[in-house]
């Protein structure tokens, strides 16, 4: 089969891939997007489960590159739901005529680098071959769903699926016995949404997560007009805050206030939308165990106030990690779901799942008869999308081998030994720890500038220097170890018990936790200095 040639191949047509192809084609660069699904949207195409929505404020999630787009689009909710999010991404693609640069049902199977030709050969699952000088990976940090490794998982006779593969056709659950396994961010969304729409809901919880209110609401036409008037201010605020949100940390000092003043602050933040309760909190709660314990006790009491049964409330309060030291799920009446007669919490800490049966789930204590099983069991985060592709770099080394014990990158954008592979929101970038789309635009712009610089220099081989990569990994580790999250389990630290090879207690440093302003300063300085940490030949 004859190979199709392009200067740049972008892998993935989600939020980052859409913006990346916009930048490249605006510059007249011969580029194409290869998307494995049958349409664009990435996260917002696949995750159709009930309750799926932004937990970043909608107007901070959308693209900022076009004033015309900002003026045209009206976000209907403060935290927009999946159907509207997908409509938005399609609107963007159609407005800027980007679909003609995309190929769907084009799942990449292998990528092989030629150090003599300075190009990548890309094989698709369907047999097609593409050749490109540069590859930009826009794979998404949560694009590889994971199922638990329970015995009998294929024996169940009813409907069962991961939330990532929620059926496209409408699913009537009004009289069904539904089991949801998992109480992470996805599980909390879907449980709250299903509670009053199913016959019976059983929640299988391995370990609880802290969660705080989303405080969603509609955006009126007048409010949207006011948002449009201050978009420049909104995006400037996001750029200045460590988390990429409009929320900024409280710098008064945790210990400078009385306990009563701290509670007054938390009462106010608890009622505010989105991540205010964490991003606008005192920095000490992320650094100091005593401060974090006080904050955790406050949230625990909030949970007790919202759950009628004291025993259930205690089972919903985490004991193995402090508040916001793992990815913090946001919820809408999640805890109130357990006050309903048709909702039952099954604590797997008390009675683990032994196997899936033809008719339900067998725990160590009893059998639970079910019609539907929903696996809200998370993702092989950040590196999972790369592991799915067989990537061979210089000398035939595989990326899987190079990252076996955790990723190693320069700025989360390049990897030594894998020239001309640019990663948007890659491992060890700031994207995994901040408001994702804001980091995407920063990453796409920086990589596009690097690509233009390489072309202007006549360089056809662009690779991070080994010593620069080692320095960056050390910086990632340093920023990570400063925070209390260093002792947590979850995808921030790269641990997923459903993924073979992940060892409990072993940290994979997957994201940079130094904050947006510092990260942007570092990457901008690299560009201003003429990319000294990057080998251009």
């Amino acid at each position: 089969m004859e190979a199709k040639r392009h200067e740049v191949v972008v892998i993935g047509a989600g939020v980052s891939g859409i913006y990346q192809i916009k930048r490249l084609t605006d510059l007249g660069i011969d580029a194409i997007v290869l998307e494995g699904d049958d349409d664009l949207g990435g996260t917002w195409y696949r995750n159709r489960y009930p309750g799926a929505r932004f937990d970043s404020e909608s107007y901070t999630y959308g693209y900022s590159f076009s004033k015309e787009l900002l003026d045209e689009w009206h976000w209907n909710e403060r935290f927009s739901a999946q159907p509207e999010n997908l409509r938005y991404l399609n609107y963007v693609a159609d407005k800027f005529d980007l679909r003609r640069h995309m190929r769907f049902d084009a799942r990449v199977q292998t990528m092989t680098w030629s150090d003599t030709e300075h190009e990548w050969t890309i094989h698709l699952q369907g047999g097609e071959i593409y050749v490109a000088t540069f590859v930009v990976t826009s794979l998404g940090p949560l694009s590889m769903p994971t199922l638990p490794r329970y015995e009998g998982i294929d024996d169940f006779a009813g409907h069962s699926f991961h939330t990532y593969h929620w059926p496209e056709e409408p699913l009537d659950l009004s009289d069904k016995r539904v089991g949801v396994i998992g109480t992470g961010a996805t599980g909390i969304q879907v449980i709250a949404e299903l509670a009053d729409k199913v016959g019976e809901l059983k929640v299988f919880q391995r370990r609880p997560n802290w969660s705080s209110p989303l405080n969603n609401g509609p955006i009126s036409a007048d409010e949207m007009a006011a948002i449009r008037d201050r978009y420049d201010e909104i995006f400037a605020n996001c750029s200045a805050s460590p988390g990429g949100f409009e929320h900024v940390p409280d710098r008064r000092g945790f210990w400078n206030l009385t306990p009563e003043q701290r509670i007054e602050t938390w009462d106010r933040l608890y009622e505010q939308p989105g991540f205010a309760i964490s991003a606008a909190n005192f920095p000490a709660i992320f650094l100091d165990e005593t401060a974090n314990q006080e904050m955790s006790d406050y949230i625990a009491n909030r949970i007790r106030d919202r759950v009628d049964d004291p025993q259930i409330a205690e089972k919903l309060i985490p004991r193995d990690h402090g508040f916001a030291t793992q990815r913090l799920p946001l919820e809408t009446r999640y805890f109130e779901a357990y006050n309903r007669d048709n909702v039952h919490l099954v604590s797997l800490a008390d009675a683990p799942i032994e196997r899936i049966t033809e008719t339900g789930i067998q725990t160590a204590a009893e059998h639970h008869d079910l019609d539907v099983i929903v696996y809200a069991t998370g993702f092989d985060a950040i590196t999972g999308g790369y592991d799915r592709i067989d990537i061979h770099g210089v000398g035939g080394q595989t990326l899987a081998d190079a990252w076996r014990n955790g990723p190693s990158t320069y700025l989360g954008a390049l990897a030594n030994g894998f020239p001309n592979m640019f990663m948007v929101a890659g491992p060890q970038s700031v994207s995994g720890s901040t408001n994702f789309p804001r980091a995407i635009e920063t990453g796409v712009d920086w990589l596009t500038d690097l690509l233009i610089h390489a072309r202007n220099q006549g360089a056809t081989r662009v690779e991070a220097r080994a010593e620069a990569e080692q320095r960056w990994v050390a910086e990632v580790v340093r920023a990570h170890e400063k925070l209390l999250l260093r002792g947590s389990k979850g995808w921030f630290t790269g641990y997923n018990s459903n993924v073979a090879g992940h060892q409990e207690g072993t940290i994979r440093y997957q994201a940079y936790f130094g904050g947006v302003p510092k990260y942007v300063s570092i990457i901008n300085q690299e560009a201003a200095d003429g990319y000294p940490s990057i080998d251009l030949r």
Side-chain angles (χ1 to χ4, degrees):
M1 180 176 292
E2 185 176 354
K4 300 171 183 176
R5 291 184 170 271
H6 298 274
E7 184 176 1
V8 183
V9 163
V10 179
I11 303 178
V15 178
S16 57
I18 290 170
Y19 182 47
Q20 182 65 79
I21 196 64
K22 171 74 168 61
R23 284 298 319 274
L24 293 172
T25 54
D26 279 354
L27 292 166
I29 294 173
D30 174 25
I32 192 170
V33 178
L34 302 179
E35 167 56 55
D37 279 325
D38 57 5
D39 208 343
L40 61 81
T43 288
W44 301 111
Y45 179 71
R46 270 292 164 201
N47 287 281
R48 305 183 183 96
Y49 63 85
R53 65 175 61 250
F54 292 157
D55 50 17
S56 306
E57 280 80 1
S58 303
Y59 48 86
T60 73
Y61 197 101
Y63 298 114
S64 68
F65 65 82
S66 165
K67 186 178 188 308
E68 189 174 287
L69 176 62
L70 292 170
D71 288 342
E72 289 173 356
W73 188 262
H74 182 131
W75 293 104
N76 292 305
E77 293 181 273
R78 186 170 295 275
F79 301 94
S80 177
Q82 180 269 338
E84 183 180 2
N85 305 342
L86 187 57
R87 283 195 298 273
Y88 172 74
L89 293 176
N90 276 280
Y91 182 86
V92 173
D94 293 340
K95 176 179 177 61
F96 298 106
D97 194 21
L98 300 178
R99 284 181 174 274
R100 64 193 178 98
H101 304 292
M102 299 177 179
R103 299 293 178 271
F104 301 112
D105 294 313
R107 190 167 300 283
V108 174
Q109 188 170 42
T110 66
M111 284 172 47
T112 304
W113 169 255
S114 169
D115 217 21
T116 55
E117 302 298 328
H118 289 189
E119 63 188 19
W120 286 96
T121 299
I122 302 160
H123 289 260
L124 307 187
Q125 285 185 1
E128 288 182 276
I129 303 171
Y130 285 80
V131 174
T133 305
F134 298 96
V135 172
V136 180
T137 58
S138 300
L139 301 180
L142 300 175
S143 59
M144 279 295 291
T146 56
L147 289 171
R149 293 179 282 180
Y150 293 133
E151 183 180 348
I153 199 167
D154 295 324
D155 295 345
F156 184 63
H159 288 290
S160 65
F161 40 81
H162 192 283
T163 50
Y164 188 76
H165 297 296
W166 194 278
E168 291 187 51
E169 62 277 6
L171 198 59
D172 183 8
L173 301 175
S174 57
D175 61 349
K176 297 294 191 294
R177 300 166 298 178
V178 179
V180 176
I181 301 176
T183 53
T186 299
I188 283 172
Q189 284 185 327
V190 77
I191 289 161
E193 187 69 21
L194 290 182
D196 64 350
K197 299 177 179 64
V198 302
E200 182 181 36
L201 180 63
K202 291 194 173 182
V203 177
F204 294 83
Q205 174 185 270
R206 182 177 56 170
R207 54 191 188 92
N209 270 290
W210 297 105
S211 189
S212 58
L214 181 66
N215 293 319
N216 191 24
I219 297 178
S220 67
D222 287 345
E223 185 180 0
M224 194 66 227
I227 288 170
R228 289 193 186 97
D229 287 342
R230 53 182 291 268
Y231 260 130
D232 288 346
E233 175 190 346
I234 288 169
F235 293 127
N237 290 340
C238 290
S239 296
S241 73
F245 299 99
E246 274 215 278
H247 313 294
V248 295
D250 191 321
R251 301 293 186 184
R252 291 177 295 168
F254 185 93
W255 303 111
N256 292 335
L257 304 182
T258 65
E260 293 75 21
Q261 288 173 319
R262 293 195 286 269
I263 289 175
E264 181 182 343
T265 299
W266 294 335
D267 283 343
R268 174 173 48 80
L269 294 179
Y270 198 79
E271 303 302 324
Q272 289 186 17
F275 285 110
I277 191 66
S278 57
N281 212 315
F282 306 102
I285 72 164
F286 302 103
L287 302 164
D288 183 284
E289 290 186 6
T290 303
N292 184 270
Q293 185 62 59
E294 187 177 317
M295 181 69 211
S296 300
D297 291 343
Y298 171 86
I299 298 294
N301 286 331
R302 283 287 196 161
I303 294 171
R304 295 182 181 107
D305 289 342
R306 294 173 58 185
V307 179
D308 294 342
D309 186 327
Q311 290 184 319
I312 296 298
E314 294 306 312
K315 290 182 184 295
L316 293 170
I317 296 171
R319 313 291 177 183
D320 64 340
H321 67 285
F323 178 77
T325 61
Q326 290 184 183
R327 200 281 194 199
L328 178 66
L330 301 182
E331 49 81 20
T332 300
R333 297 189 61 78
Y334 168 70
F335 294 106
E336 286 76 9
Y338 295 97
N339 298 333
R340 297 181 56 86
D341 292 338
N342 69 321
V343 178
H344 311 284
L345 180 67
V346 181
S347 173
L348 302 183
D350 299 330
I353 291 176
E354 292 184 338
R355 64 170 292 122
I356 309 298
T357 71
E358 185 177 353
T359 56
I361 296 175
Q362 178 68 54
T363 71
E366 62 181 307
H367 187 272
H368 299 270
D369 295 328
L370 300 168
D371 302 305
V372 178
I373 298 176
V374 178
Y375 293 99
T377 48
F379 297 84
D380 184 2
I382 299 184
T383 55
Y386 292 87
D387 291 341
R388 181 172 60 189
I389 303 171
D390 186 17
I391 301 174
H392 293 255
V394 175
Q397 68 171 319
T398 67
L399 191 66
D401 283 341
W403 289 1
R404 187 168 302 281
N405 297 318
S408 178
T409 74
Y410 181 56
L411 305 176
L414 302 104
N416 180 259
F418 299 87
N420 294 17
M421 185 178 79
F422 295 174
M423 298 177 285
V424 178
Q428 299 178 337
S429 71
V430 78
S431 61
S433 62
T434 60
N435 190 0
F436 193 60
R438 304 277 55 81
I440 280 174
E441 285 193 326
T442 298
V444 166
D445 289 342
W446 190 84
L447 286 172
T448 303
D449 289 346
L450 173 59
L451 179 61
I452 294 303
H453 177 80
R455 292 170 102 232
N456 290 341
Q457 296 292 316
T460 57
R461 189 183 191 278
V462 181
E463 180 183 13
R465 299 185 190 278
E467 62 275 15
E469 182 172 294
Q470 292 164 9
R471 287 197 307 272
W472 179 248
V473 173
E475 169 63 16
V476 169
V477 172
R478 186 200 62 78
H480 184 279
E481 291 301 308
K482 285 177 59 178
L483 302 174
L484 295 178
L485 63 84
R486 62 184 177 270
S488 67
K489 300 176 183 177
W491 65 268
F492 274 174
T493 52
Y495 174 69
N496 185 328
S497 61
N498 298 321
V499 179
H502 282 213
Q503 301 298 319
E504 186 168 358
T506 299
I507 295 177
R508 295 164 61 89
Y509 296 95
Q510 304 223 110
Y512 176 61
F513 286 93
V516 169
K518 184 170 183 179
Y519 179 79
V520 171
S521 174
I522 291 169
I523 64 172
N524 286 348
Q525 191 62 53
E526 174 70 24
D529 291 343
Y531 306 99
S533 300
I534 300 171
D535 183 9
L536 295 102
R537 304 183 201 173

